[in-house]
Amino acid sequence: MKKCLIALLTLFMTMGAFADEKVGPSVQFKEGNFFAITSEFNRRLLDNFAEKVLSYKEKELIIYFDTPGGSVIALSRMAQIMESSDITFTCVASFAASAGFMLFQHCNNRYLLADGVLMSHNWAGSFSGEGPRILTMYNTIQSIVDALEATAIKKMSVDKFEYARLINSNLWMTSKLATKYAAIDAVITNLSCSDKIINQRNATIEYTFSGVRFIYKSGCPLIQKTYYKVKGKSDVFIDAGVDLFKAAQKNYKFGNANWIYMGNKNQ
């Protein structure tokens, strides 16, 4: 009887935990209706983001996050672009850490995948030079971070001291914890891509020891598989992972086995 009561109590507690998570709408990526942040925050991402937002003609733009973060300066400018726009930004996060978390907090609608993860922490950087110049640079970056964090603090309904305490040892959040801290508006379980963008092959540049070459990815940001185009056949692509594996087998040397694997792994 005691075991039965414990089991029922555990079930009710679990149901209560899930009940706290608001379920968001289904989201589908279609041609032109989204911008994917699947790299670190840098000048290239900033330029692409600015071009997308400033030329966008629709009322709502979906932003997909799968990023470890990056440059505070790029983050700040992207946040300013969002704040000065009349577009409604609906954001979906698979993984949004550091700068990614902070930009995510600037979205009008903040949705996290059921198995998604958010992370916020103190900013980091390295400085060199004369002491007074380092102090001036530090204060400048800190003022930028303070302005960015003000939005997160407001959305999460905590004061700056509580927020500082939470992130001091890195605040990692699954959907339950993100709901608890109001870091999201809802959890979504239905995210998809249209057939058209799944079958797209978009070119990006890959830097190699011998120069550069083009690699291709699906237009769907949920698919990170990479392809090479078959020479002389504009519509034929081969799996880049398989290609690299074959090259590694053909040119195998014990000394370079590790970098071949890492190169493949990072595709």
Side-chain angles (χ1 to χ4, degrees):
M1 183 65 178
K2 183 177 179 181
K3 290 183 178 179
C4 182
L5 289 172
I6 292 174
L8 285 172
L9 179 60
T10 302
L11 176 61
F12 287 137
M13 290 175 65
T14 303
M15 289 173 64
F18 280 107
D20 291 336
E21 295 182 5
K22 181 180 178 182
V23 178
S26 298
V27 176
Q28 184 177 62
F29 298 130
K30 300 178 182 178
E31 189 172 29
N33 78 337
F34 70 96
F35 182 86
I37 301 177
T38 55
S39 66
E40 67 178 22
F41 280 62
N42 53 31
R43 182 55 187 265
R44 182 180 180 85
L45 177 66
L46 168 61
D47 288 343
N48 290 339
F49 184 76
E51 182 178 30
K52 178 67 176 182
V53 174
L54 296 177
S55 63
Y56 196 66
K57 304 301 182 185
E58 303 300 325
K59 294 181 179 180
E60 181 185 32
L61 178 65
I62 302 169
I63 304 178
Y64 175 66
F65 288 78
D66 188 0
T67 175
S71 165
V72 169
I73 302 301
L75 158 64
S76 178
R77 292 179 181 173
M78 290 168 72
Q80 289 297 319
I81 289 170
M82 291 173 67
E83 290 179 355
S84 63
S85 174
D86 293 329
I87 296 170
T88 296
F89 294 96
T90 293
C91 298
V92 178
S94 171
F95 177 60
S98 192
F101 171 84
M102 200 57 61
L103 190 67
F104 181 73
Q105 295 307 311
H106 284 73
C107 300
N108 302 103
N109 301 307
R110 301 167 302 160
Y111 300 145
L112 181 66
L113 294 180
D115 61 348
V117 174
L118 303 178
M119 190 276 280
S120 183
H121 62 175
N122 294 305
W123 69 275
S126 59
F127 303 94
S128 63
E130 298 174 359
R133 294 183 179 181
I134 292 175
L135 184 59
T136 299
M137 190 179 301
Y138 170 86
N139 288 336
T140 298
I141 299 298
Q142 185 62 58
S143 67
I144 293 172
V145 172
D146 286 343
L148 290 164
E149 287 185 342
T151 297
I153 289 168
K154 182 178 180 180
K155 291 281 185 76
M156 295 172 67
S157 299
V158 295
D159 61 40
K160 64 180 182 179
F161 302 106
E162 175 66 6
Y163 181 77
R165 185 190 68 79
L166 287 171
I167 69 170
N168 194 48
S169 297
N170 291 11
L171 178 61
W172 291 89
M173 291 172 280
T174 58
S175 60
K176 291 181 182 179
L177 203 55
T179 298
K180 174 182 176 181
Y181 289 126
I184 61 175
D185 297 310
V187 175
I188 64 170
T189 57
N190 191 346
L191 178 65
S192 62
C193 294
S194 68
D195 291 341
K196 185 172 183 178
I197 66 169
I198 288 175
N199 295 321
Q200 284 178 353
R201 295 293 177 263
N202 299 327
T204 58
I205 294 176
E206 177 185 57
Y207 294 92
T208 69
F209 290 109
S210 58
V212 298
R213 61 182 171 184
F214 287 103
I215 60 172
Y216 298 81
K217 284 187 177 181
S218 166
C220 174
L222 305 177
I223 302 172
Q224 292 299 302
K225 186 177 182 180
T226 54
Y227 301 87
Y228 295 135
K229 183 181 288 186
V230 175
K231 189 174 182 179
K233 298 181 179 180
S234 61
D235 60 344
V236 179
F237 298 85
I238 58 173
D239 187 326
V242 173
D243 182 67
L244 285 175
F245 178 76
K246 288 181 177 179
Q249 294 299 308
K250 183 177 180 180
N251 303 303
Y252 176 76
K253 293 180 181 178
F254 182 78
N256 68 6
N258 200 38
W259 72 257
I260 288 175
Y261 170 75
M262 291 301 292
N264 187 15
K265 188 73 173 178
N266 289 337
Q267 288 293 323

